[in-house]
Amino acid sequence: MKKSFVGALGAVSALLLAAAGAVPAVAAPVSDSKAAPVKAVNFAGTVALSNCSGSVIRTPSSQPGDPALVLSNGHCLETGFPAAGEVITDQPSSRSFSLLNASGSKVATLRASKVSYATMTDTDISIYQLNTTYAKIQSQYGISALTLNDTHPTQGSAIKVVSGYWKRTYSCNVDGFVYRLKEGDWTWKDSVRYTPSCNTIGGTSGSPVIDTATGKVVAVNNTGNEDGESCTENNPCEVDENGNVTVRQGINYAEETYIIVPCIGAGNKIDLNRAGCTLPKP
């Protein structure tokens, strides 16, 4: 996990941080004369944390008056990495986030009221509830939340990883999906593997992964294999259904976010007992 700026410089940092590459992936040949439409992707709605990136997010059913949510990685929590099997819910937090506009300039400091949900089991996410609403953020700063896509991402689709920490955008494609991604004590399910051009660096952990065709968030950036080691910290390995292990040095990964949508109910409340919610429970 490539988590923090310190980690990016190679200082001691216990874990993962995500990756995203600076070189755009080459698009597949298009037989039709019209290329797929591309949504404009910029920094509006992304945030910078003290050690990671993130974004203000909503579900398709979130309402303007709901308390706003910020999405990042579980390994970006201010309290440290959750243990394998640990699930955190409704933990008080006053963490601050720098809200960015389209050009990447800071327009406000947002503050959390709690960690609504966080884990590094099966996935690597943290969801903070803010002390303000979407409507207030929109009216005060002209910034809209990014919408979580409610369907599984598609192999080959063009994506952008947008880092609020670095104010940098990476472009590539979804190369495929990993049955199990294992790193140290942690294991994640059905992770997104980027094409090689996405080589993210420390500080990009928690960045939203945006499908350029829809403009919606399909994943959250979280790790990459740095040294070619197998299944160790900062060196995740892929494990298939038969237990076969594959190591891809220099390849980076993200965790899908469509699974979050069924777990958020009225008022943006996390409800792990809602129909269709598969997120791990405490």
Side-chain angles (χ1 to χ4, degrees):
M1 295 170 274
K2 303 167 183 173
K3 175 172 89 166
S4 64
F5 173 67
V6 172
L9 295 179
V12 177
S13 160
L15 242 85
L16 328 136
L17 187 100
V23 182
V26 177
V30 180
S31 57
D32 191 356
S33 59
K34 290 176 62 179
V38 176
K39 296 281 187 180
V41 175
N42 53 46
F43 295 100
T46 64
V47 300
L49 286 66
S50 58
N51 58 351
C52 286
S53 299
S55 57
V56 180
I57 54 99
R58 64 183 299 277
T59 71
S61 60
S62 293
Q63 299 300 306
D66 289 342
L69 303 176
V70 163
L71 173 67
S72 189
N73 285 145
H75 76 261
C76 292
L77 284 176
E78 66 268 40
T79 51
F81 301 117
E86 182 180 5
V87 175
I88 297 165
T89 59
D90 295 326
Q91 175 178 286
S93 174
S94 59
R95 193 170 195 180
S96 61
F97 310 91
S98 297
L99 177 67
L100 307 184
N101 63 13
S103 65
S105 297
K106 178 181 176 180
V107 294
T109 297
L110 304 177
R111 193 165 296 278
S113 59
K114 67 178 180 179
V115 177
S116 291
Y117 183 88
T119 192
M120 288 176 63
T121 299
D122 294 352
T123 186
D124 183 9
I125 60 171
S126 57
I127 303 172
Y128 289 85
Q129 179 176 299
L130 301 183
N131 62 3
T132 189
T133 65
Y134 298 118
K136 288 182 179 178
I137 294 173
Q138 175 67 49
S139 64
Q140 291 178 332
Y141 313 114
I143 302 295
S144 299
L146 302 177
T147 300
L148 297 180
N149 202 344
D150 57 5
T151 59
H152 193 283
T154 304
Q155 185 174 7
S157 58
I159 53 176
K160 289 184 180 290
V161 182
V162 187
S163 172
Y165 186 95
W166 288 112
K167 300 178 179 61
R168 181 176 177 182
T169 299
Y170 304 85
S171 301
C172 63
N173 294 76
V174 174
D175 185 52
F177 305 100
V178 182
Y179 177 70
R180 297 290 185 267
L181 189 66
K182 182 173 174 57
E183 180 172 342
D185 295 333
W186 296 271
T187 300
W188 304 302
K189 297 179 178 179
D190 196 24
S191 301
V192 173
R193 180 177 60 240
Y194 302 142
T195 50
S197 58
C198 272
N199 63 359
T200 46
I201 61 174
T204 62
S205 280
S207 298
V209 179
I210 300 174
D211 186 305
T212 62
T214 64
K216 295 181 179 180
V217 177
V218 296
V220 58
N221 186 54
N222 82 310
T223 194
N225 187 295
E226 297 180 359
D227 307 310
E229 296 178 5
S230 181
C231 313
T232 62
E233 293 180 4
N234 299 314
N235 293 284
C237 63
E238 300 182 11
V239 184
D240 69 14
E241 294 89 336
N242 299 315
N244 299 311
V245 175
T246 302
V247 173
R248 303 178 191 268
Q249 184 176 3
I251 294 299
N252 300 288
Y253 304 90
E255 302 309 311
E256 296 165 355
T257 51
Y258 79 99
I259 60 172
I260 297 172
V261 176
C263 305
I264 299 180
N268 269 354
K269 180 177 175 56
I270 301 292
D271 182 357
L272 302 178
N273 294 312
R274 292 189 85 226
C277 179
T278 59
L279 287 176
K281 298 179 180 179

